[in-house]
């Protein structure tokens, strides 16, 4: 079974621009979560989606948004990029339900904001 | 509050056992996890333990949970150079779909 895939793997953007990152979960997985990883703050939870509904959100400004499609693929969008948004963005999928505890991560998208 | 703490570094000799420790603050955690991250890669789920368990063993890995002290540990037996990585402890919060991760412990295995 293919793992979680994220595209693109690397991205360079300029302050003020916006960016969209994509995540394809493992086939059959319906829950997708997003995390931001930085050296200073570590891994921080952004949001979680299940069946196209956002069920939980972390403490990030409204510039960070996401969505999930009917095929469980998910995108996250960051508008008006700031230098501090430079990070590794990780997506994780899980089967949901009583197997929600199984979370599988993709390789991440490395975003650099200049 | 929600906080998970780990020591930053651990160095062991190949063949020795490694013990990585973690403390958490939220008593409503349902599952506690250990993940491994190698350079340039995402996180790999190593093992997890349900909050009503004390211990779980999975091949070379042993997880111990002291719920009273909110302390979780991961023991790696016969540590190999391929075990060199960053290890993250994480908890999932009851009633939410939210995970809180520790800062990560960088394990260095010396040949």
């Amino acid at each position: 079974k293919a793992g979680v895939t994220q595209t693109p793997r690397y991205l360079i953007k300029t302050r003020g621009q916006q960016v969209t990152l994509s995540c394809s979960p493992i086939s059959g997985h319906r829950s997708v979560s997003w995390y931001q990883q930085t050296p200073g703050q570590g891994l921080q939870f952004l949001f979680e989606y299940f069946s196209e509904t956002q069920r939980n959100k972390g403490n990030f400004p409204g510039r960070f948004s996401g969505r999930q499609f009917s095929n469980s693929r998910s995108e996250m969008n960051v508008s008006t990029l700031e230098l501090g948004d430079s990070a590794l963005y990780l997506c994780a999928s899980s089967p949901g339900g009583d197997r929600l505890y199984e979370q599988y991560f993709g390789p991440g998208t490395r975003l650099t904001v200049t | 509050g929600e906080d998970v703490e780990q020591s930053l570094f651990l160095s062991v000799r190949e063949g020795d056992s490694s013990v990585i420790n973690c403390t958490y603050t939220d008593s409503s955690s349902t599952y506690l996890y250990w993940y491994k991250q190698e350079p340039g890669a995402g996180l790999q789920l190593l093992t997890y333990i349900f909050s009503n368990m004390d211990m779980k063993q999975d091949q070379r890995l042993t997880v111990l949970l002291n719920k009273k002290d909110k302390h979780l540990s991961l023991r790696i037996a016969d540590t190999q150079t391929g075990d060199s990585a960053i290890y993250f402890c994480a908890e999932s919060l009851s009633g939410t779909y939210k995970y809180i991760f520790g800062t990560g412990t960088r394990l260095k295995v010396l040949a």
Side-chain angles (χ1 to χ4, degrees):
Chain A
K1 202 182 253 191
V4 178
T5 57
Q6 293 187 245
T7 55
R9 290 293 312 277
Y10 302 92
L11 206 48
I12 300 175
K13 289 285 189 178
T14 305
R15 266 184 307 178
Q17 287 186 314
Q18 74 157 16
V19 67
T20 299
L21 311 181
S22 181
C23 171
S24 292
I26 292 171
S27 177
H29 286 194
R30 296 170 65 191
S31 168
V32 173
S33 300
W34 288 90
Y35 295 84
Q36 181 195 65
Q37 186 178 26
T38 59
Q41 299 295 318
L43 266 157
Q44 293 190 290
F45 172 79
L46 280 155
F47 23 66
E48 188 263 355
Y49 288 88
F50 183 85
S51 293
E52 301 178 69
T53 300
Q54 185 184 90
R55 297 194 295 189
N56 212 332
K57 190 176 183 337
N59 298 324
F60 279 82
R63 299 185 298 107
F64 291 81
S65 63
R67 60 178 175 168
Q68 187 181 33
F69 301 95
S70 58
N71 62 359
S72 295
R73 191 177 69 84
S74 176
E75 289 181 346
M76 67 162 280
N77 183 279
V78 188
S79 62
T80 321
L81 283 165
E82 300 177 1
L83 294 178
D85 297 333
S86 294
L88 180 67
Y89 289 88
L90 292 163
C91 163
S93 76
S94 80
D98 59 0
R99 293 177 59 199
L100 186 63
Y101 55 80
E102 296 177 22
Q103 214 176 31
Y104 299 89
F105 282 79
T109 294
R110 169 91 44 202
L111 172 65
T112 302
V113 182
T114 62
Chain B
E2 305 159 355
D3 200 12
V4 178
E5 293 190 353
Q6 300 177 238
S7 52
L8 291 179
F9 299 102
L10 177 65
S11 179
V12 300
R13 294 211 172 274
E14 192 175 20
D16 288 350
S17 291
S18 309
V19 179
I20 303 171
N21 295 300
C22 166
T23 57
Y24 59 98
T25 56
D26 199 305
S27 56
S28 69
S29 302
T30 48
Y31 286 94
L32 295 124
Y33 309 80
W34 285 103
Y35 286 87
K36 176 184 180 183
Q37 186 177 35
E38 294 180 273
L43 274 70
Q44 175 194 352
L45 176 63
L46 288 176
T47 187
Y48 60 89
I49 188 167
F50 188 48
S51 58
N52 69 355
M53 296 169 64
D54 298 324
M55 186 184 88
K56 181 178 180 181
Q57 188 151 3
D58 186 357
Q59 299 182 332
R60 291 191 299 124
L61 306 178
T62 303
V63 178
L64 293 177
L65 174 60
N66 182 328
K67 199 168 180 180
K68 176 176 169 288
D69 294 339
K70 297 190 181 69
H71 182 264
L72 182 75
S73 68
L74 174 69
R75 178 176 180 269
I76 305 172
D78 187 25
T79 313
Q80 303 297 307
T81 54
D83 295 323
S84 292
I86 301 176
Y87 290 80
F88 290 91
C89 162
E91 59 174 345
S92 61
L93 306 183
S94 176
T96 77
Y97 305 97
K98 188 174 175 182
Y99 292 75
I100 307 297
F101 281 79
T103 50
T105 299
R106 185 178 295 274
L107 173 65
K108 185 173 181 179
V109 182
L110 306 171

